[in-house]
Amino acid sequence: MNFSKIKEAEAAHYMPVFSRDSLAIERGEGNCLYDINGNKYVDFVAGIATNILGYNHPEYTEAVVAQVKKLMHVSNHYYTEVQSRYITRLCEASGFPRVFLCNSGAEANECAIKLARRYFKNHGGDKVILSAAGAFHGRTLATLTVTGNAAQHDRYSPLPQGFDSFIYNDFDDFKRKLTDDVGAVILETIQGECGVRPFSNDFLVNAYALCKSKGVLFIVDEVQTGMGRTGTLFSFEHFGIQPDIITMAKGIAGGIPMGACLATEEVGTAFSLGDHGSTFGGNALACAAADKVLEILQNGLLARSQEVGEYLGNRLAHFSKYNFISDIRGMGLMRGIQLSDKIPAAAFEGKLREKGYLVNVAGNNTLRIIPPLTITEQEIDGLVDALDEICASTNA
Ligand SMILES: *Cc1c(COP(=O)(O)O)cnc(C)c1O
């Protein structure tokens, strides 16, 4: 099928919600993607921070193929050894004793919200959940409500009740909003979709301490920042805080749809029989994939991602010399380069693509760099050189 046929089918049949790049991808190998014309691209998008092992990782592919042949899905009516093996590994690695497995980031956050509400019922009754302006937590109605995007809120009103928001990184506003009605706070340590926007260390440490002192649950959405993305297994580890609930998805199973909500024993047992569920959640295929991804992280990839993430940060610092680069942000292998308003980031994205490098635009005119954790120094050098050529030939 040629490119125009592929595009026509999308235009005719897909609900018109996505603005896609003019690129049809055929296959991946290592940290590279190949389009239908055989052009090669080094991938700094990774299916939006999802393909953390890149493409056709030998050990991962072997484990997934073996599981496909053996058993893919039986529902949670039955036990499977592979799910039991995975939840043991995940709970041991994360330090959270309770988990619920689902299929996406939105579902993981929906689970966290429902779990918090169940917990409130046992602790004095209904409470409000507070989230940050500019946050992204998903597209179900509840997760859309905690996502700080006013236009989206208007489109889907009426929204579920029991939510409020605070200004990103503004501790005074946070303190004001954290009334006795609030039972839980949900945030990303680095707002990904909003353009790789980190909370300050001070904000997180103080907000956490205040929540602890008031008995307010602290929920960290690690959907994008988790699985080694920032150099530690979870981003909250950088701040010396211990959330009550965290959520995961994206990189958790290396590209097979999966999400997880993890909690302390006290909070995680607020659910009882029949309170929540999922047909696909934690099925044998997803668990086999996720178990292999976590094993590979534990066997050296996490340490490696930390090293290469620092390398990426050091190389990107170089771009601050260009006056049209207004900010360089992020941690580990999650970085954002914000361009001044005069230069559309999408134009830079397109030029990088012509040079064989994929990045994407997130939030406020920001190039987002979220490669597989297997990315190499040489591939990073290639991106930096390509971006430098583009910057050097930009008049602004
Ligand atoms: C992507 C993302 C989500 C939503 O995940 P889906 O799998 O698309 O539902 C939620 N939270 C954060 C921080 C994300 O980056």
Side-chain angles (χ1 to χ4, degrees):
M1 216 191 273
N2 67 24
F3 186 46
S4 56
K5 278 265 186 306
I6 293 172
K7 249 174 117 164
E8 270 169 35
E10 204 270 359
H13 301 302
Y14 212 95
M15 295 187 191
V17 294
F18 291 119
S19 124
R20 301 179 199 249
D21 283 356
S22 240
L23 200 57
I25 303 293
E26 186 161 82
R27 65 186 186 89
E29 188 66 39
N31 299 315
C32 296
L33 287 170
Y34 295 82
D35 69 15
I36 54 169
N37 300 315
N39 298 309
K40 175 180 170 178
Y41 304 89
V42 188
D43 183 16
F44 286 84
V45 179
I48 316 183
T50 293
N51 304 320
I52 63 174
L53 304 179
Y55 303 92
N56 198 17
H57 184 288
E59 218 182 309
Y60 171 80
T61 301
E62 190 188 316
V64 169
V65 169
Q67 190 63 48
V68 167
K69 290 181 178 170
K70 194 171 171 189
L71 177 74
M72 287 171 62
H73 177 81
V74 287
S75 87
N76 288 298
H77 280 308
Y78 310 101
Y79 295 95
T80 62
E81 188 182 324
V82 63
Q83 187 187 83
S84 154
R85 181 154 29 97
Y86 176 58
I87 59 175
T88 304
R89 187 192 296 278
L90 178 61
C91 288
E92 280 175 9
S94 66
F96 290 91
R98 290 282 164 182
V99 64
F100 182 86
L101 297 174
C102 53
N103 314 286
S104 69
E107 267 184 81
N109 286 324
E110 188 81 24
C111 176
I113 291 165
K114 288 177 70 177
L115 180 62
R117 285 189 167 188
R118 280 299 279 121
Y119 181 86
F120 304 156
K121 300 271 180 206
N122 304 331
H123 292 81
D126 296 355
K127 294 267 174 77
V128 166
I129 297 177
L130 204 56
S131 63
F136 183 79
H137 296 298
R139 295 180 172 89
T140 64
L141 272 178
T143 58
L144 174 73
T145 306
V146 288
T147 287
N149 180 330
Q152 285 280 339
H153 288 179
D154 289 346
R155 272 171 220 144
Y156 296 105
S157 60
L159 297 174
Q161 305 283 299
F163 299 97
D164 197 2
S165 69
F166 63 93
I167 300 168
Y168 151 80
N169 223 23
D170 182 333
F171 188 65
D172 289 336
D173 190 57
F174 181 79
K175 251 190 332 204
R176 230 181 347 264
K177 298 289 175 56
L178 199 74
T179 62
D180 292 342
D181 292 337
V182 173
V185 168
I186 181 168
L187 53 76
E188 307 147 85
T189 60
I190 305 174
Q191 295 185 335
E193 299 309 300
C194 196
V196 190
R197 210 166 55 147
F199 277 96
S200 70
N201 182 77
D202 278 359
F203 179 92
L204 290 172
V205 168
N206 292 331
Y208 174 74
L210 190 60
C211 286
K212 282 297 100 179
S213 74
K214 299 187 73 162
V216 170
L217 299 181
F218 204 78
I219 307 172
V220 177
D221 177 343
E222 295 273 6
V223 168
Q224 191 161 155
T225 50
M227 292 305 286
R229 174 69 39 204
T230 68
T232 48
L233 187 55
F234 299 106
S235 69
F236 74 79
E237 297 169 45
H238 295 289
F239 307 99
I241 61 179
Q242 186 52 59
D244 302 284
I245 303 175
I246 66 169
T247 56
M248 308 170 64
K250 291 204 163 85
I252 190 173
I256 286 177
M258 189 184 216
C261 176
L262 290 152
T264 61
E265 184 67 16
E266 190 199 359
V267 177
T269 51
F271 276 153
S272 50
L273 273 184
D275 279 352
H276 197 48
S278 171
T279 298
F280 284 126
N283 83 7
L285 177 62
C287 284
D291 191 54
K292 186 51 78 176
V293 171
L294 189 50
E295 185 192 322
I296 291 170
L297 267 183
Q298 291 171 324
N299 289 343
L301 184 62
L302 182 59
R304 168 82 192 136
S305 80
Q306 183 177 22
E307 216 175 273
V308 98
E310 273 175 36
Y311 183 80
L312 175 64
N314 291 336
R315 294 293 335 251
L316 294 185
H318 155 86
F319 289 100
S320 59
K321 72 177 184 190
Y322 292 105
N323 62 7
F324 51 85
I325 301 231
S326 51
D327 200 12
I328 303 169
R329 296 183 291 264
M331 289 172 104
L333 290 171
M334 180 173 183
R335 304 277 176 174
I337 302 177
Q338 187 174 349
L339 304 184
S340 81
D341 295 341
K342 283 175 282 178
I343 312 233
F348 269 44
E349 178 196 18
K351 287 180 187 169
L352 278 170
R353 191 190 325 137
E354 283 166 20
K355 291 178 181 287
Y357 292 90
L358 299 181
V359 300
N360 86 330
V361 176
N364 191 9
N365 213 32
T366 298
L367 296 170
R368 179 171 49 173
I369 298 171
I370 40 174
L373 305 189
T374 49
I375 201 82
T376 65
E377 281 88 347
Q378 291 85 333
E379 287 162 332
I380 289 170
D381 289 345
L383 173 75
V384 167
D385 289 349
L387 187 57
D388 202 41
E389 276 173 31
I390 295 164
C391 287
S393 64
T394 296
N395 297 312

